[in-house]
Amino acid sequence: MELTLPPLPPYLPSLTWMQADEAGRAGMSPRDFSRTLVASNSPGGMVLSVPVVGGAPALKRLKPGQLQVSSHGDWPRVHLGAIEAAYGREPFFQHLFPDLAEIIIHYPVSLADMNARLLSALLEGIDFYRNIADIRGMREAHPARFADIRQRLMRRVDPSRSVVEAFFRFGPDVAFLL
């Protein structure tokens, strides 16, 4: 359960992606780096896609690190509205959302840069790097208790959805899932 993030994370990655090792993250298409799944009224959730310069052809021919965010459409407002509608009532939403909103509203040119900034803002927002040693110590000292906490938390999220669900719902306790 060592959290190692590659330099090119997807857009607000799924909890499944966050929990996977490098081999488990292999095989993603470039398109996967520009979209995420959030909760919605529809049973399968809502896919949010970041437009990229060059559109679908660019997604097919360029590597993820080469993709640039397009300014077409009003995607920042749509994405922020969908995220707020899905998770606005979660306990840690008000603490973490403003930093995400700032990055999305003032998105950088590079999709990889934006994705890395978003993931870093989430991790920094819960003091992940300061607290992870304590979480790992608990896992080693009390493996059964750790497993019980992790299992209870996992039952309350959909791991195929964006990790923002777990961050907004659990705050610093999301470290048990990462």
Coordinates of all heavy atoms in Angstrom, one line a residue, residues 33-112:
F33 N -6.8 10.3 -19.6 CA -6.1 11.3 -18.9 C -6.9 12.6 -18.9 O -6.6 13.5 -18.1 CB -4.7 11.6 -19.4 CG -3.7 10.5 -19.1 CD1 -3.6 9.4 -19.9 CD2 -3.0 10.6 -17.9 CE1 -2.7 8.4 -19.5 CE2 -2.1 9.6 -17.6 CZ -2.0 8.5 -18.4
S34 N -7.9 12.7 -19.7 CA -8.7 14.0 -19.8 C -10.1 13.9 -19.3 O -10.9 14.8 -19.5 CB -8.7 14.4 -21.3 OG -9.4 13.5 -22.1
R35 N -10.4 12.7 -18.6 CA -11.8 12.6 -18.2 C -11.9 11.9 -16.8 O -10.9 11.2 -16.4 CB -12.7 11.9 -19.2 CG -12.3 10.5 -19.5 CD -13.2 10.0 -20.6 NE -12.7 8.7 -21.1 CZ -13.2 8.1 -22.0 NH1 -14.2 8.6 -22.7 NH2 -12.8 6.9 -22.4
T36 N -13.0 12.1 -16.1 CA -13.2 11.5 -14.8 C -14.7 11.2 -14.7 O -15.5 11.7 -15.5 CB -12.7 12.4 -13.7 OG1 -12.7 11.6 -12.5 CG2 -13.6 13.6 -13.5
L37 N -15.1 10.4 -13.7 CA -16.5 10.0 -13.5 C -16.9 10.5 -12.1 O -16.1 10.3 -11.1 CB -16.6 8.5 -13.5 CG -18.0 7.9 -13.3 CD1 -19.0 8.3 -14.4 CD2 -17.9 6.4 -13.1
V38 N -18.0 11.2 -12.0 CA -18.5 11.7 -10.8 C -19.9 11.3 -10.6 O -20.6 10.9 -11.5 CB -18.4 13.3 -10.7 CG1 -17.0 13.8 -10.7 CG2 -19.3 14.0 -11.7
A39 N -20.4 11.3 -9.4 CA -21.8 10.9 -9.0 C -22.7 11.9 -9.7 O -22.4 13.0 -9.9 CB -22.0 10.9 -7.5
S40 N -23.9 11.3 -10.1 CA -25.0 12.2 -10.7 C -26.3 11.5 -10.5 O -26.4 10.4 -9.9 CB -24.7 12.5 -12.1 OG -25.0 11.3 -12.9
N41 N -27.3 12.0 -11.0 CA -28.7 11.4 -11.0 C -28.8 10.2 -11.8 O -29.6 9.3 -11.5 CB -29.7 12.4 -11.4 CG -29.9 13.6 -10.5 OD1 -29.5 13.5 -9.3 ND2 -30.4 14.7 -10.9
S42 N -28.0 10.0 -12.8 CA -28.0 8.8 -13.6 C -27.2 7.7 -12.9 O -26.3 7.9 -12.2 CB -27.4 9.1 -15.0 OG -26.0 9.4 -14.9
P43 N -27.7 6.5 -13.1 CA -27.1 5.3 -12.3 C -25.6 5.2 -12.5 O -24.9 4.8 -11.6 CB -27.9 4.1 -12.9 CG -29.1 4.7 -13.5 CD -28.8 6.1 -13.9
G44 N -25.1 5.4 -13.7 CA -23.7 5.2 -14.0 C -22.8 6.4 -13.6 O -21.6 6.3 -13.7
G45 N -23.4 7.5 -13.2 CA -22.6 8.7 -12.9 C -22.5 9.6 -14.2 O -23.1 9.3 -15.2
M46 N -21.7 10.6 -14.0 CA -21.5 11.6 -15.1 C -20.0 11.6 -15.5 O -19.2 11.8 -14.6 CB -22.0 12.9 -14.7 CG -21.7 14.0 -15.7 SD -22.1 15.7 -15.1 CE -23.8 15.6 -15.0
V47 N -19.7 11.5 -16.7 CA -18.3 11.6 -17.2 C -18.0 13.1 -17.5 O -18.8 13.8 -18.2 CB -18.0 10.8 -18.5 CG1 -16.6 11.0 -19.0 CG2 -18.3 9.3 -18.2
L48 N -17.0 13.6 -16.9 CA -16.5 15.0 -17.2 C -15.3 14.9 -18.0 O -14.3 14.2 -17.6 CB -16.2 15.7 -15.9 CG -17.4 15.9 -14.9 CD1 -16.9 16.6 -13.6 CD2 -18.5 16.6 -15.5
S49 N -15.3 15.6 -19.2 CA -14.1 15.5 -20.1 C -13.5 16.9 -20.2 O -14.3 17.9 -20.5 CB -14.5 15.0 -21.5 OG -15.0 13.7 -21.4
V50 N -12.2 17.0 -20.1 CA -11.5 18.3 -20.3 C -11.2 18.3 -21.8 O -10.6 17.4 -22.4 CB -10.2 18.3 -19.5 CG1 -9.4 19.6 -19.9 CG2 -10.5 18.2 -18.1
P51 N -11.7 19.4 -22.5 CA -11.4 19.5 -23.9 C -9.9 19.8 -24.1 O -9.2 20.5 -23.4 CB -12.2 20.7 -24.4 CG -12.4 21.5 -23.2 CD -12.4 20.6 -22.0
V52 N -9.3 19.1 -25.2 CA -7.9 19.3 -25.5 C -7.8 19.9 -26.8 O -8.6 19.7 -27.7 CB -7.1 17.9 -25.4 CG1 -7.1 17.4 -24.0 CG2 -7.7 16.9 -26.4
V53 N -6.7 20.7 -27.0 CA -6.4 21.3 -28.3 C -6.2 20.2 -29.3 O -5.4 19.3 -29.1 CB -5.1 22.2 -28.2 CG1 -4.7 22.7 -29.5 CG2 -5.3 23.3 -27.2
G54 N -6.9 20.3 -30.4 CA -6.9 19.3 -31.5 C -7.9 18.2 -31.3 O -8.1 17.4 -32.2
G55 N -8.7 18.2 -30.2 CA -9.8 17.3 -30.1 C -9.4 15.8 -30.1 O -8.3 15.4 -29.7
A56 N -10.3 15.0 -30.5 CA -10.1 13.5 -30.6 C -8.9 13.1 -31.3 O -8.2 12.2 -30.9 CB -11.4 12.8 -31.1
P57 N -8.6 13.7 -32.5 CA -7.3 13.3 -33.2 C -6.1 13.5 -32.3 O -5.2 12.7 -32.4 CB -7.3 14.2 -34.4 CG -8.7 14.6 -34.7 CD -9.4 14.7 -33.3
A58 N -6.0 14.6 -31.6 CA -4.9 14.8 -30.7 C -4.8 13.8 -29.6 O -3.7 13.3 -29.3 CB -5.0 16.2 -30.0
L59 N -6.0 13.3 -29.1 CA -6.0 12.3 -28.1 C -5.4 11.0 -28.7 O -4.9 10.2 -27.9 CB -7.4 12.1 -27.5 CG -7.9 13.2 -26.6 CD1 -9.4 13.1 -26.4 CD2 -7.1 13.2 -25.3
K60 N -5.6 10.8 -29.9 CA -5.2 9.5 -30.6 C -3.7 9.5 -30.9 O -3.1 8.5 -30.9 CB -6.0 9.2 -31.8 CG -7.5 8.9 -31.5 CD -8.3 8.7 -32.8 CE -9.7 8.5 -32.5 NZ -10.6 8.4 -33.7
R61 N -3.2 10.7 -31.3 CA -1.8 10.7 -31.8 C -0.8 11.3 -30.9 O 0.4 11.0 -31.0 CB -1.8 11.5 -33.1 CG -1.9 13.0 -33.1 CD -1.8 13.6 -34.5 NE -1.6 15.0 -34.6 CZ -2.2 15.9 -34.0 NH1 -3.2 15.6 -33.1 NH2 -2.0 17.2 -34.2
L62 N -1.2 12.0 -29.8 CA -0.2 12.6 -28.9 C -0.1 11.7 -27.6 O -1.1 11.1 -27.2 CB -0.6 14.0 -28.5 CG -0.7 15.0 -29.7 CD1 -1.2 16.4 -29.2 CD2 0.7 15.2 -30.3
K63 N 1.0 11.9 -27.0 CA 1.2 11.2 -25.7 C 0.5 12.1 -24.6 O 0.4 13.3 -24.8 CB 2.7 11.1 -25.4 CG 3.4 10.1 -26.3 CD 4.8 10.0 -26.0 CE 5.5 9.0 -26.9 NZ 6.9 9.0 -26.8
P64 N 0.1 11.5 -23.5 CA -0.6 12.3 -22.5 C 0.2 13.6 -22.0 O -0.4 14.6 -21.8 CB -0.8 11.4 -21.3 CG -0.8 10.0 -22.0 CD 0.2 10.1 -23.1
G65 N 1.5 13.5 -21.9 CA 2.2 14.7 -21.5 C 2.3 15.8 -22.5 O 2.7 16.9 -22.2
Q66 N 1.9 15.5 -23.8 CA 1.9 16.5 -24.8 C 0.5 17.2 -25.0 O 0.4 18.2 -25.7 CB 2.2 15.9 -26.2 CG 3.6 15.3 -26.2 CD 3.8 14.5 -27.5 OE1 3.1 13.7 -27.8 NE2 5.0 14.8 -28.1
L67 N -0.5 16.8 -24.3 CA -1.9 17.3 -24.5 C -2.0 18.7 -23.8 O -1.5 18.9 -22.7 CB -2.9 16.4 -23.9 CG -3.0 15.0 -24.6 CD1 -3.9 14.1 -23.8 CD2 -3.5 15.1 -26.0
Q68 N -2.7 19.6 -24.5 CA -2.9 20.9 -24.0 C -4.4 21.1 -23.8 O -5.2 20.7 -24.6 CB -2.4 22.0 -24.9 CG -0.9 22.0 -25.1 CD -0.4 23.1 -25.9 OE1 -1.1 23.7 -26.7 NE2 0.9 23.3 -25.9
V69 N -4.7 21.8 -22.7 CA -6.2 22.1 -22.4 C -6.7 23.1 -23.4 O -6.0 24.2 -23.6 CB -6.3 22.6 -21.0 CG1 -7.8 22.9 -20.6 CG2 -5.7 21.6 -20.0
S70 N -7.8 22.9 -24.0 CA -8.5 23.8 -24.9 C -9.4 24.8 -24.1 O -10.0 24.4 -23.1 CB -9.3 23.0 -25.9 OG -10.1 23.9 -26.7
S71 N -9.5 25.9 -24.6 CA -10.4 26.9 -24.0 C -11.8 26.9 -24.6 O -12.6 27.8 -24.3 CB -9.8 28.3 -24.2 OG -9.6 28.7 -25.5
H72 N -12.0 25.9 -25.5 CA -13.4 25.8 -26.1 C -14.4 25.5 -25.1 O -14.2 24.6 -24.2 CB -13.4 24.8 -27.2 CG -12.6 25.2 -28.4 ND1 -12.0 24.4 -29.3 CD2 -12.4 26.5 -28.9 CE1 -11.4 25.0 -30.2 NE2 -11.6 26.3 -30.0
G73 N -15.6 26.1 -25.2 CA -16.7 25.8 -24.3 C -16.5 26.4 -22.9 O -15.6 27.1 -22.6
D74 N -17.4 26.1 -22.1 CA -17.5 26.6 -20.7 C -17.2 25.5 -19.8 O -17.9 25.3 -18.7 CB -18.8 27.3 -20.5 CG -18.9 28.1 -19.3 OD1 -17.8 28.5 -18.7 OD2 -20.0 28.5 -18.8
W75 N -16.3 24.6 -20.1 CA -16.1 23.4 -19.3 C -15.7 23.6 -17.9 O -16.2 22.9 -17.0 CB -15.0 22.5 -20.0 CG -13.6 22.9 -19.9 CD1 -13.0 23.7 -20.8 CD2 -12.7 22.7 -18.9 NE1 -11.7 24.0 -20.4 CE2 -11.5 23.3 -19.2 CE3 -12.8 22.0 -17.7 CZ2 -10.4 23.3 -18.3 CZ3 -11.7 21.9 -16.8 CH2 -10.5 22.5 -17.2
P76 N -14.9 24.7 -17.5 CA -14.7 24.9 -16.1 C -15.9 25.1 -15.3 O -16.1 24.5 -14.2 CB -13.8 26.1 -16.0 CG -13.1 26.1 -17.4 CD -14.1 25.6 -18.3
R77 N -16.8 25.9 -15.7 CA -18.1 26.1 -15.0 C -18.9 24.8 -14.9 O -19.5 24.5 -13.9 CB -18.9 27.2 -15.7 CG -20.2 27.6 -15.0 CD -21.1 28.5 -15.7 NE -21.5 28.0 -17.0 CZ -22.5 27.1 -17.2 NH1 -23.1 26.6 -16.1 NH2 -22.8 26.6 -18.4
V78 N -19.0 24.1 -16.0 CA -19.8 22.8 -16.1 C -19.2 21.8 -15.1 O -19.9 21.2 -14.3 CB -19.8 22.3 -17.5 CG1 -20.4 20.9 -17.5 CG2 -20.6 23.2 -18.4
H79 N -17.9 21.7 -15.1 CA -17.2 20.7 -14.2 C -17.4 21.1 -12.8 O -17.7 20.2 -11.9 CB -15.7 20.6 -14.6 CG -15.5 19.8 -15.8 ND1 -14.3 19.0 -16.0 CD2 -16.1 19.8 -17.0 CE1 -14.4 18.5 -17.2 NE2 -15.4 18.9 -17.8
L80 N -17.2 22.3 -12.5 CA -17.3 22.8 -11.1 C -18.7 22.6 -10.6 O -19.0 22.2 -9.5 CB -16.8 24.2 -10.9 CG -15.3 24.4 -11.1 CD1 -14.9 25.8 -11.1 CD2 -14.5 23.6 -10.1
G81 N -19.7 22.9 -11.5 CA -21.1 22.8 -11.1 C -21.5 21.3 -10.9 O -22.2 21.0 -9.9
A82 N -21.0 20.4 -11.7 CA -21.2 19.0 -11.5 C -20.6 18.5 -10.3 O -21.2 17.7 -9.5 CB -20.7 18.2 -12.8
I83 N -19.4 18.9 -10.0 CA -18.7 18.4 -8.8 C -19.4 19.0 -7.5 O -19.7 18.2 -6.6 CB -17.2 18.8 -8.8 CG1 -16.5 18.1 -9.9 CG2 -16.6 18.6 -7.4 CD1 -15.1 18.6 -10.2
E84 N -19.8 20.2 -7.6 CA -20.6 20.8 -6.4 C -21.9 20.1 -6.2 O -22.3 19.8 -5.1 CB -20.7 22.3 -6.6 CG -21.4 22.9 -5.4 CD -21.4 24.5 -5.4 OE1 -21.0 25.0 -6.5 OE2 -21.7 25.1 -4.4
A85 N -22.6 19.9 -7.3 CA -23.9 19.2 -7.2 C -23.8 17.8 -6.7 O -24.6 17.4 -5.9 CB -24.6 19.1 -8.6
A86 N -22.7 17.1 -7.1 CA -22.5 15.7 -6.6 C -22.1 15.6 -5.2 O -22.5 14.7 -4.4 CB -21.5 15.0 -7.5
Y87 N -21.2 16.6 -4.8 CA -20.5 16.4 -3.5 C -20.6 17.6 -2.5 O -19.9 17.6 -1.5 CB -19.0 16.1 -3.7 CG -18.8 14.9 -4.7 CD1 -18.3 15.0 -5.9 CD2 -19.3 13.6 -4.3 CE1 -18.1 13.9 -6.8 CE2 -19.1 12.5 -5.1 CZ -18.6 12.7 -6.4 OH -18.4 11.6 -7.2
G88 N -21.4 18.6 -2.9 CA -21.4 19.8 -2.1 C -21.9 19.7 -0.7 O -21.6 20.5 0.2
R89 N -22.5 18.6 -0.3 CA -23.0 18.3 1.0 C -22.0 17.5 1.8 O -22.3 17.2 3.0 CB -24.4 17.7 1.0 CG -25.4 18.6 0.5 CD -26.8 17.9 0.5 NE -27.8 18.8 0.1 CZ -28.7 19.4 0.9 NH1 -28.7 19.2 2.1 NH2 -29.6 20.2 0.4
E90 N -21.0 17.0 1.2 CA -20.0 16.2 1.9 C -19.2 17.0 3.0 O -19.0 18.2 2.7 CB -19.0 15.5 1.0 CG -19.7 14.6 0.0 CD -20.3 13.3 0.6 OE1 -20.0 13.0 1.8 OE2 -21.1 12.7 0.0
P91 N -18.8 16.4 4.1 CA -18.2 17.2 5.2 C -17.0 18.0 4.9 O -16.7 19.0 5.4 CB -17.9 16.1 6.2 CG -18.5 14.8 5.8 CD -19.0 15.0 4.4
F92 N -16.1 17.5 4.0 CA -14.9 18.2 3.7 C -14.9 19.0 2.4 O -13.9 19.5 2.0 CB -13.7 17.2 3.7 CG -13.5 16.6 5.1 CD1 -14.1 15.5 5.5 CD2 -12.7 17.3 6.0 CE1 -13.9 15.0 6.8 CE2 -12.5 16.8 7.3 CZ -13.1 15.6 7.7
F93 N -16.1 19.0 1.7 CA -16.2 19.7 0.5 C -15.7 21.2 0.6 O -14.9 21.7 -0.2 CB -17.6 19.7 0.0 CG -17.9 20.4 -1.3 CD1 -17.6 19.8 -2.5 CD2 -18.3 21.7 -1.3 CE1 -17.8 20.5 -3.7 CE2 -18.5 22.4 -2.5 CZ -18.2 21.8 -3.7
Q94 N -16.3 21.9 1.6 CA -16.0 23.3 1.8 C -14.5 23.6 2.0 O -14.0 24.7 1.8 CB -16.8 23.9 2.9 CG -16.5 23.4 4.2 CD -17.4 23.9 5.3 OE1 -18.1 24.9 5.1 NE2 -17.5 23.3 6.5
H95 N -13.8 22.6 2.5 CA -12.3 22.8 2.8 C -11.5 22.5 1.6 O -10.4 23.1 1.5 CB -11.9 21.8 4.0 CG -12.7 22.0 5.2 ND1 -12.6 23.1 6.0 CD2 -13.7 21.2 5.8 CE1 -13.5 23.0 7.0 NE2 -14.1 21.9 6.9
L96 N -11.9 21.6 0.7 CA -11.0 21.2 -0.4 C -11.4 21.8 -1.7 O -10.6 22.0 -2.6 CB -11.0 19.6 -0.5 CG -10.5 18.9 0.7 CD1 -10.7 17.4 0.6 CD2 -9.0 19.2 0.9
F97 N -12.7 22.0 -1.9 CA -13.2 22.5 -3.2 C -12.6 23.8 -3.6 O -12.3 24.0 -4.8 CB -14.7 22.6 -3.2 CG -15.3 23.0 -4.5 CD1 -15.4 22.1 -5.6 CD2 -15.9 24.2 -4.7 CE1 -15.9 22.4 -6.8 CE2 -16.4 24.6 -5.9 CZ -16.4 23.7 -6.9
P98 N -12.4 24.8 -2.8 CA -11.9 26.1 -3.3 C -10.6 26.0 -4.0 O -10.4 26.7 -5.0 CB -11.8 27.0 -2.0 CG -12.9 26.4 -1.1 CD -12.8 24.9 -1.4
D99 N -9.7 25.2 -3.5 CA -8.4 25.0 -4.2 C -8.5 24.3 -5.5 O -7.8 24.7 -6.5 CB -7.4 24.2 -3.3 CG -7.0 25.0 -2.1 OD1 -7.0 26.3 -2.1 OD2 -6.6 24.4 -1.1
L100 N -9.4 23.3 -5.6 CA -9.6 22.7 -6.9 C -10.3 23.7 -7.9 O -9.9 23.7 -9.0 CB -10.6 21.5 -6.7 CG -10.1 20.3 -5.9 CD1 -11.1 19.2 -5.9 CD2 -8.7 19.8 -6.3
A101 N -11.2 24.4 -7.4 CA -11.9 25.4 -8.2 C -10.9 26.4 -8.8 O -11.0 26.8 -10.0 CB -13.0 26.1 -7.5
E102 N -10.0 26.9 -8.0 CA -9.0 27.8 -8.4 C -8.2 27.3 -9.5 O -7.9 28.0 -10.5 CB -8.1 28.2 -7.2 CG -7.2 29.3 -7.5 CD -7.8 30.7 -7.8 OE1 -9.0 30.9 -7.4 OE2 -7.1 31.5 -8.4
I103 N -7.8 26.0 -9.4 CA -6.9 25.4 -10.4 C -7.7 25.2 -11.7 O -7.2 25.5 -12.8 CB -6.4 24.1 -9.9 CG1 -5.4 24.3 -8.8 CG2 -5.7 23.3 -11.1 CD1 -5.0 23.1 -8.0
I104 N -9.0 24.8 -11.6 CA -9.8 24.5 -12.8 C -10.1 25.8 -13.5 O -10.1 25.9 -14.7 CB -11.0 23.7 -12.4 CG1 -10.6 22.2 -12.0 CG2 -12.0 23.7 -13.6 CD1 -11.7 21.4 -11.5
I105 N -10.5 26.8 -12.7 CA -10.8 28.1 -13.3 C -9.6 28.8 -14.1 O -9.7 29.3 -15.2 CB -11.4 29.1 -12.3 CG1 -12.8 28.6 -11.8 CG2 -11.5 30.5 -12.8 CD1 -13.3 29.3 -10.6
H106 N -8.5 28.7 -13.4 CA -7.2 29.2 -14.0 C -6.3 28.1 -14.5 O -5.1 28.1 -14.1 CB -6.5 30.1 -12.9 CG -7.4 31.2 -12.4 ND1 -7.8 32.3 -13.2 CD2 -8.0 31.4 -11.2 CE1 -8.5 33.1 -12.4 NE2 -8.7 32.6 -11.2
Y107 N -6.9 27.2 -15.3 CA -6.1 26.0 -15.7 C -4.9 26.4 -16.5 O -4.9 27.4 -17.2 CB -7.0 25.1 -16.5 CG -7.7 25.8 -17.7 CD1 -7.0 25.8 -18.9 CD2 -8.9 26.4 -17.7 CE1 -7.5 26.4 -20.1 CE2 -9.5 27.0 -18.8 CZ -8.8 27.0 -20.0 OH -9.3 27.6 -21.1
P108 N -3.8 25.6 -16.3 CA -2.6 25.8 -17.0 C -2.8 25.3 -18.5 O -3.8 24.6 -18.8 CB -1.6 25.0 -16.3 CG -2.3 24.0 -15.5 CD -3.7 24.6 -15.3
V109 N -1.8 25.5 -19.3 CA -1.9 25.1 -20.7 C -1.8 23.6 -20.8 O -2.5 22.9 -21.5 CB -0.8 25.8 -21.5 CG1 -0.7 25.2 -22.9 CG2 -1.0 27.3 -21.6
S110 N -0.9 23.0 -20.0 CA -0.7 21.6 -20.1 C -1.7 20.8 -19.3 O -1.9 21.0 -18.1 CB 0.7 21.3 -19.5 OG 0.9 19.9 -19.2
L111 N -2.3 19.8 -19.9 CA -3.2 18.9 -19.2 C -2.5 18.1 -18.1 O -3.0 18.0 -17.0 CB -3.9 17.9 -20.2 CG -4.8 16.9 -19.5 CD1 -6.1 17.6 -19.0 CD2 -5.2 15.8 -20.6
A112 N -1.3 17.7 -18.3 CA -0.6 16.9 -17.3 C -0.3 17.8 -16.1 O -0.4 17.4 -15.0 CB 0.8 16.4 -17.9

